[in-house]
Amino acid sequence: MDFEPLNIENEAVEFDMGGSGDDDATALDLEHPDDSYDIFDDDLVQSSNSTRSRDDLASGDPNLEPYEGMEFDSEQASRIFYNSYARRIGFSTRVSVYQRSRRDGSIICRQVVCSREGFRRDGGENRSKRQRTVTRVGCKAQMTVKKQSSGRWAVSKLVKEHNHELVPPDKVHCLRSHRHVSGPARSLIDTLQAAGMGPSGVMSVLIKESGGINNVGFTKVDCQNYMSSSRQRTLGSGGQFVFDYLKRMQAEDPGFFFAVQGDFENLTGNIFWADSNSRMNYDYFGDTVTFDTTYRTNRYRVPFAPFTGWNHHGQPVLFGCSLLLNESESSFVWLFQTWLAAMSTRHPVSITTDQDRIIRAAVGQVFPGTRHRFCKWNVLREAQEKLSDVYHSHPTFEAEFQRCINMTETIDEFESCWESLLQRYDIGDNEWLQSMYDARQQWVPVFLRDTFFGEMSVTQGSDNINSYFDGYINASTNIQVLIKQYEKAIATRHEKEVKADYDTMNISPILRTPSPMEKQAAKLYTRVVFMKFQEELVETLAYPATMVDDTGSETVYRVAKFGEDHKVYFVRFNVFEKKSSCSCQMFEFSGIICRHILAVFRVTNVLTLPNHYILKRWTKNAKSGVVWDEHTLGLPNDSQDSSAARYDNLRREAIKYVEEGAESVRVYNVAMDALHEAASEVTAAKKHGLGVVQSTSINCSQQLQSCTVDQDKKIKELAAELDIASQQCEAYRAKLLAILKDMEEQKLKISVNVRNVRLNLRS
């Protein structure tokens, strides 16, 4: 094998035997189409958890042809790019050798080759006697990437020449690395199979729906194998293992929730579970949710789908998990309703899923008031399949297509750019493209900026779905391993959150301006969120704000970066309420105030952040107190019927009690005495039963009546104080308006005087 010499002083070279062994795992299926259904290698660049190369998305010259020195954000991104390049050229790829660092064991070098690289090994006497087509012909085409000191990966060796014929565009879908049964295709196959249709009939429908066999994305053999595995998609012996695990967890954790659709002994439905931490996390961070179906694809042995979100450090946080044994619309409706019940029936502001037709329908039924977004990364990946001919014929199309989606600032700009693309590449009659245009409000960023999705920037826009279990689950994971990896992932994520909490509390950020607002934000925000805010604040120095309209109560400012007057933002500012809205809508989307509003605050002397621009979910105290209404806790039927609901109610009340009790030494001592007394009453209630409980209830009722009288008196006093404060506020407002009027008059007088002085100087 021709492989570049490596410096192995502190590294070790390893061979990926899964990719370089039997031809079954690497054969070019155009010649041998029915070897195996494992159409994707475990390390293939089609992985749903990957991110795209910056070079691939760059404007101008997209660098779609690989070259030595080309850089990528990650090793995975380089493999995605090379496989995309291989699809356009007409060959299949596979992972070959890699090199690990002896210092930390991480991969620092990876080689991706043409699938026809090398030669078939001599199988010996124990190999199968079935004759197979020779597919390895010693092709030298390959790309080697190495990790740089900067953390990016660069192409260190590239061989473009092949020693065999390349596959034409109308047959490239037969190559192993380019075959993929997508989510929408699986849903359609499941529906047709349930109706009694066989593989030939199903394939005919897929060909018609896709506009030709070239656009289906896989072969009839793949369809047959998927349908065969679908009939066997049950947990088998692992079912009892899962059930035992869930029962054990419920016994250990009173807040643990799980539900099974249908009869567990004859399991045909879905399974859902959430521990008490997941349910608590949803209380604090349940404004935006991602339903991650990455592991639902047929290449994974367990159809695992978690519900996730973002915590106050911008880290993935878990809201529950499911096993999808049935992918019908009714099963997804059951799953979403069950999850919602476990989360106290509190609907999220937004939810992100893939664009599967059945999931879309289920989300519409269960979350009618929630903003539904499709994962943009999944849409772009599907675009490579559906528009493969366009990608191959027009190398510049992909960069322009993504620029149209990601870089347009307004809806009008997007519409104009989209129409221009259709005309330039003559793709106006493409049915898939038209269907995605019809759904543009659910995946194109410019249409989603008015809704909170918890991402740090508008342009982030779901490029990659929020995967809590990234790196813990792969194609070989079975159900027993899944449970272990699930627990390992939770432990690791918890450690990372604790580390982020520690850094936030113990490492003071470096302030870059004398602004009181920056000092205020440093005290309030977590470290990661503060750094994002600080970036926006510092950028205001390059963004002058100019008043363009003033209606008295509201002022409109024009904000543009110095030297970039073509890219203008407009900020509406209410001087009395100190409320602003910017055309970029960054605050609405991410909950972090943008540089354009901060620039207006700078010129209007707003020195500290108004409270309505500080989202508690991004602060150091995000997990203190109760975010949601305490009356929505537990299951919806009766807040005291289940032990989990009672546990949640007591826990929340205890959290509030602890926070108030820790304010001072005196209050702490009173709180401790009250706790001791309460503990004695609880013990007595457990010993003597209802009699003591009723007696305690009478005492509590008497105390409550006394407290009610005191509270009424206090409310009247506060109401009187509020009236006085309102009168003072009106007086201050009148004075402020008078002062502003005087300032404008003085400004006008000074302007006239300056003009007169200039005229005198000229004369």
Side-chain angles (χ1 to χ4, degrees):
M1 182 181 297
D2 183 17
F3 188 66
E4 182 181 8
L6 302 171
N7 178 9
I8 59 173
E9 180 180 352
N10 291 307
E11 286 80 32
V13 178
E14 300 184 21
F15 287 82
D16 188 350
M17 300 308 293
S20 59
D22 187 6
D23 286 89
D24 288 352
T26 57
L28 193 153
D29 277 31
L30 179 63
E31 300 180 74
H32 196 57
D34 58 348
D35 270 354
S36 166
Y37 182 61
D38 184 15
I39 61 175
F40 286 111
D41 183 88
D42 186 23
D43 287 317
L44 188 67
V45 294
Q46 292 279 354
S47 170
S48 297
N49 295 321
S50 309
T51 55
R52 300 302 309 272
S53 165
R54 290 180 186 171
D55 304 82
D56 196 20
L57 304 179
S59 57
D61 180 9
N63 294 328
L64 294 179
E65 292 286 327
Y67 58 88
E68 290 191 6
M70 186 178 188
E71 290 191 349
F72 302 88
D73 287 339
S74 66
E75 175 229 345
Q76 197 85 331
S78 70
R79 287 186 276 157
I80 287 180
F81 174 81
Y82 192 61
N83 197 60
S84 177
Y85 162 75
R87 184 183 182 94
R88 295 193 307 271
I89 299 302
F91 67 97
S92 182
T93 66
R94 62 178 170 82
V95 174
S96 183
V97 298
Y98 58 91
Q99 179 188 15
R100 288 188 183 275
S101 169
R102 291 192 178 180
R103 283 185 287 268
D104 57 10
S106 63
I107 295 176
I108 59 172
C109 184
R110 171 75 79 176
Q111 184 185 68
V112 187
V113 300
C114 172
S115 64
R116 308 193 73 174
E117 179 267 351
F119 295 93
R120 184 191 297 276
R121 292 196 303 245
D122 184 9
E125 297 180 357
N126 295 327
R127 293 296 299 270
S128 171
K129 295 181 180 180
R130 180 168 68 92
Q131 295 296 316
R132 296 182 176 181
T133 306
V134 175
T135 55
R136 301 276 189 98
V137 295
C139 181
K140 300 292 186 181
Q142 60 117 319
M143 185 178 79
T144 301
V145 290
K146 284 186 176 181
K147 191 173 184 179
Q148 308 298 297
S149 57
S150 64
R152 303 197 74 195
W153 291 71
V155 177
S156 62
K157 182 176 181 180
L158 178 68
V159 178
K160 288 188 175 183
E161 295 75 22
H162 296 262
N163 67 350
H164 55 87
E165 290 185 1
L166 298 175
V167 177
D170 62 338
K171 293 183 175 61
V172 73
H173 65 280
C174 297
L175 298 176
R176 182 181 298 277
S177 71
H178 308 309
R179 284 160 48 192
H180 174 57
V181 183
S182 64
R186 288 194 305 275
S187 299
L188 182 55
I189 293 173
D190 290 342
T191 302
L192 297 176
Q193 185 179 12
M197 191 174 292
S200 298
V202 170
M203 201 64 189
S204 298
V205 173
L206 289 168
I207 292 171
K208 184 177 180 180
E209 289 290 323
S210 303
I213 192 170
N214 298 347
N215 299 325
V216 174
F218 50 89
T219 66
K220 182 181 176 181
V221 174
D222 301 328
C223 181
Q224 288 175 325
N225 288 333
Y226 174 80
M227 293 176 70
S228 175
S229 65
S230 179
R231 286 190 292 268
Q232 302 170 10
R233 199 178 304 166
T234 62
L235 294 180
S237 61
Q240 190 60 45
F241 179 84
V242 173
F243 188 67
D244 291 344
Y245 172 79
L246 297 178
K247 293 292 288 183
R248 185 175 74 253
M249 290 303 299
Q250 191 174 56
E252 295 175 359
D253 179 2
F256 191 90
F257 176 97
F258 82 91
V260 176
Q261 185 182 15
D263 182 10
F264 193 89
E265 292 183 358
N266 299 302
L267 187 60
T268 57
N270 296 326
I271 303 173
F272 170 77
W273 73 90
D275 62 17
S276 56
N277 283 330
S278 294
R279 301 174 73 192
M280 192 188 308
N281 284 333
Y282 186 77
D283 286 346
Y284 302 123
F285 310 116
D287 38 20
T288 184
V289 175
T290 296
F291 180 53
D292 182 3
T293 51
T294 298
Y295 312 107
R296 169 190 175 207
T297 60
N298 197 54
R299 58 188 294 246
Y300 292 92
R301 296 178 64 181
V302 286
F304 178 66
F307 293 85
T308 60
W310 304 104
N311 68 9
H312 51 323
H313 301 293
Q315 300 169 331
V317 64
L318 189 63
F319 298 146
C321 299
S322 64
L323 291 176
L324 303 177
L325 304 181
N326 187 322
E327 298 186 12
S328 65
E329 183 177 328
S330 60
S331 287
F332 277 114
V333 168
W334 174 88
L335 175 62
F336 292 149
Q337 289 175 341
T338 303
W339 174 80
L340 199 58
M343 300 299 129
S344 308
T345 68
R346 173 69 66 172
H347 288 243
V349 174
S350 60
I351 185 169
T352 302
T353 72
D354 67 32
Q355 65 272 24
D356 182 278
R357 176 181 55 83
I358 293 178
I359 294 179
R360 291 163 65 174
V363 168
Q365 286 189 50
V366 183
F367 305 104
T370 297
R371 188 70 180 273
H372 184 198
R373 178 180 68 168
F374 304 154
C375 175
K376 186 177 65 179
W377 189 89
N378 284 337
V379 174
L380 295 178
R381 188 186 66 169
E382 189 172 346
Q384 289 188 330
E385 301 172 8
K386 301 296 184 180
L387 305 175
S388 57
D389 290 346
V390 183
Y391 276 51
H392 181 79
S393 305
H394 304 282
T396 60
F397 171 76
E398 185 172 10
E400 291 190 41
F401 181 56
Q402 296 198 22
R403 187 161 57 247
C404 175
I405 294 166
N406 294 321
M407 305 308 293
T408 46
E409 294 283 345
T410 65
I411 293 176
D412 289 341
E413 185 183 353
F414 167 78
E415 298 286 359
S416 175
C417 184
W418 185 275
E419 185 62 30
S420 176
L421 271 179
L422 297 184
Q423 294 178 3
R424 186 179 304 119
Y425 295 101
D426 192 24
I427 51 177
D429 58 350
N430 185 282
E431 292 183 6
W432 179 85
L433 207 57
Q434 182 60 46
S435 69
M436 295 315 300
Y437 175 78
D438 293 340
R440 61 193 180 281
Q441 294 185 351
Q442 291 181 277
W443 65 279
V444 178
V446 72
F447 292 96
L448 297 162
R449 292 175 177 173
D450 61 347
T451 304
F452 182 80
F453 283 95
E455 290 159 3
M456 291 295 179
S457 69
V458 174
T459 54
Q460 182 179 339
S462 75
D463 281 335
N464 188 20
I465 203 161
N466 167 13
S467 186
Y468 184 94
F469 293 93
D470 187 14
Y472 293 92
I473 300 174
N474 56 42
S476 64
T477 303
N478 58 31
I479 191 63
Q480 286 84 358
V481 174
L482 171 67
I483 297 301
K484 294 179 180 178
Q485 292 298 94
Y486 160 80
E487 293 184 329
K488 184 183 293 185
I490 287 179
T492 302
R493 293 292 184 185
H494 177 69
E495 288 177 8
K496 289 182 178 180
E497 182 176 341
V498 170
K499 176 66 165 57
D501 284 338
Y502 177 85
D503 290 345
T504 293
M505 295 301 177
N506 294 281
I507 303 177
S508 300
I510 299 174
L511 303 183
R512 298 169 62 185
T513 73
S515 167
M517 189 179 293
E518 184 183 18
K519 187 176 182 180
Q520 173 197 17
K523 291 181 178 179
L524 291 173
Y525 287 134
T526 61
R527 188 173 178 82
V528 171
V529 176
F530 170 73
M531 291 175 67
K532 178 59 183 174
F533 170 82
Q534 186 182 57
E535 176 188 336
E536 296 296 313
L537 182 65
V538 171
E539 283 293 322
T540 62
L541 300 175
Y543 282 79
T546 306
M547 183 190 300
V548 294
D549 189 24
D550 186 0
T551 61
S553 61
E554 185 178 79
T555 308
V556 180
Y557 287 85
R558 178 185 182 276
V559 182
K561 189 174 184 179
F562 183 77
E564 297 182 5
D565 291 339
H566 62 285
K567 202 171 184 179
V568 177
Y569 301 89
F570 290 95
V571 176
R572 296 182 177 276
F573 177 59
N574 187 309
V575 65
F576 300 115
E577 298 180 356
K578 293 184 179 179
K579 287 186 177 180
S580 294
S581 61
C582 179
S583 58
C584 80
Q585 296 182 306
M586 176 177 163
F587 179 75
E588 290 82 353
F589 185 83
S590 66
I592 300 173
I593 198 166
C594 67
R595 61 192 64 179
H596 316 117
I597 293 179
L598 291 174
V600 171
F601 282 175
R602 181 166 53 83
V603 301
T604 54
N605 292 323
V606 178
L607 300 180
T608 59
L609 270 179
N611 288 335
H612 44 264
Y613 286 111
I614 303 171
L615 294 193
K616 186 176 181 181
R617 62 128 40 244
W618 291 134
T619 66
K620 299 176 182 179
N621 298 321
K623 298 180 77 170
S624 66
V626 180
V627 176
W628 301 131
D629 191 320
E630 58 269 21
H631 297 298
T632 63
L633 303 175
L635 296 178
N637 296 332
D638 190 329
S639 62
Q640 296 183 6
D641 277 352
S642 70
S643 62
R646 294 193 295 271
Y647 173 86
D648 278 348
N649 285 330
L650 288 172
R651 173 180 56 79
R652 293 165 189 271
E653 290 301 318
I655 288 174
K656 292 192 294 184
Y657 189 75
V658 168
E659 289 176 349
E660 294 173 359
E663 289 181 356
S664 67
V665 175
R666 185 180 65 81
V667 176
Y668 168 80
N669 291 331
V670 172
M672 287 299 294
D673 291 340
L675 279 176
H676 290 313
E677 183 178 348
S680 300
E681 292 180 359
V682 170
T683 303
K686 291 173 68 176
K687 286 183 177 179
H688 303 293
L690 291 175
V692 175
V693 174
Q694 291 171 354
S695 175
T696 304
S697 299
I698 293 172
N699 293 335
C700 289
S701 177
Q702 293 172 350
Q703 293 175 4
L704 195 60
Q705 290 176 0
S706 175
C707 289
T708 302
V709 174
D710 293 339
Q711 287 179 349
D712 289 342
K713 183 178 179 182
K714 187 65 176 179
I715 288 172
K716 290 180 181 179
E717 294 176 355
L718 291 174
E721 292 179 7
L722 181 62
D723 289 337
I724 296 172
S726 298
Q727 294 173 7
Q728 292 176 341
C729 186
E730 287 298 325
Y732 288 145
R733 181 176 294 181
K735 290 180 181 179
L736 178 60
L737 288 173
I739 292 171
L740 290 173
K741 185 176 180 181
D742 289 342
M743 289 175 64
E744 288 295 328
E745 291 177 355
Q746 291 295 328
K747 184 178 177 181
L748 182 62
K749 290 179 182 179
I750 292 172
S751 177
V752 172
N753 290 336
V754 169
R755 182 179 295 179
N756 291 336
V757 169
R758 287 177 177 171
L759 290 174
N760 292 333
L761 289 174
R762 290 177 182 174
S763 61

